[in-house]
Amino acid sequence: MLNHIVLMGRLTRDPELRRTGSGLAVVSFSLAVDRDFGNRETGDRETDFIDIVAWRNTAEFVSKYFTKGRMAVVSGRLQIRNWTDKEGNKRRSAEVVADNVYFGDSKRDNQDSGFGADQSYSAPASNFGGYSAPAAPSAVSDFAMLEDEDDGHLPF
């Protein structure tokens, strides 16, 4: 069976970093994701607001480099949680548990949009089965070198 989801959208609020009793980092945020198709009558695209949660190194990465309005690409799995509200009613909610979160926009786009210019790019750590593997240093340094080059000739 397969449970894998990839989303691209803008953060609707700043990420909220918290720690569990044992000190484990967890961050939650929401993404506004446009649908690929428009409304039949108006042609307007509808937007879905999707709750995201990330743990450990990925949580630290998101809390450090992402803010409200920033474009993000999230890769993870869909999780359905059952819970009981204060009135005793049984509730159900869906959220995405993020394994990886990537920048969905460029540093240049962020400067034009008023985002902080001092944000550096680093690859997030993968998180498989509770194990957080650090990113390969050579890939991170190679990517950081590309950041300073003029990317006017790149096709994307």
Side-chain angles (χ1 to χ4, degrees):
M1 305 223 183
L2 179 67
N3 180 357
H4 186 80
I5 188 166
V6 178
L7 300 167
M8 182 173 182
R10 295 201 178 271
L11 275 73
T12 62
R13 57 185 162 87
D14 287 339
E16 298 175 30
L17 180 67
R18 296 181 310 280
R19 301 229 176 244
T20 64
S22 62
L24 197 64
V26 59
V27 72
S28 59
F29 58 98
S30 288
L31 281 184
V33 180
D34 288 337
R35 294 186 182 175
D36 290 340
F37 52 88
N39 183 302
R40 287 186 181 179
E41 291 88 35
T42 65
D44 294 335
R45 285 188 181 184
E46 292 186 29
T47 303
D48 293 306
F49 298 91
I50 301 170
D51 293 329
I52 313 288
V53 63
W55 295 85
R56 298 177 180 79
N57 291 347
T58 305
E60 300 276 0
F61 176 76
V62 169
S63 69
K64 185 173 183 181
Y65 294 109
F66 287 85
T67 57
K68 179 181 177 178
R70 184 83 197 250
M71 181 74 71
V73 178
V74 174
S75 171
R77 64 183 168 83
L78 183 63
Q79 174 176 285
I80 307 298
R81 287 189 308 121
N82 295 311
W83 52 283
T84 305
D85 66 14
K86 293 178 182 177
E87 289 82 36
N89 300 316
K90 294 190 180 211
R91 301 285 186 170
R92 217 175 159 175
S93 59
E95 63 190 6
V96 172
V97 178
D99 292 324
N100 295 290
V101 178
Y102 304 97
F103 295 106
D105 50 11
S106 69
K107 188 173 181 181
R108 182 175 296 162
D109 291 342
N110 288 337
Q111 290 171 344
D112 294 341
S113 302
F115 290 106
D118 61 342
Q119 295 176 352
S120 62
Y121 290 81
S122 63
S126 296
N127 184 355
F128 297 101
Y131 173 74
S132 298
S138 62
V140 174
S141 61
D142 291 346
F143 190 67
M145 287 178 14
L146 288 175
E147 174 187 330
D148 296 330
E149 295 178 9
D150 178 25
D151 59 354
H153 65 280
L154 295 178
F156 54 133

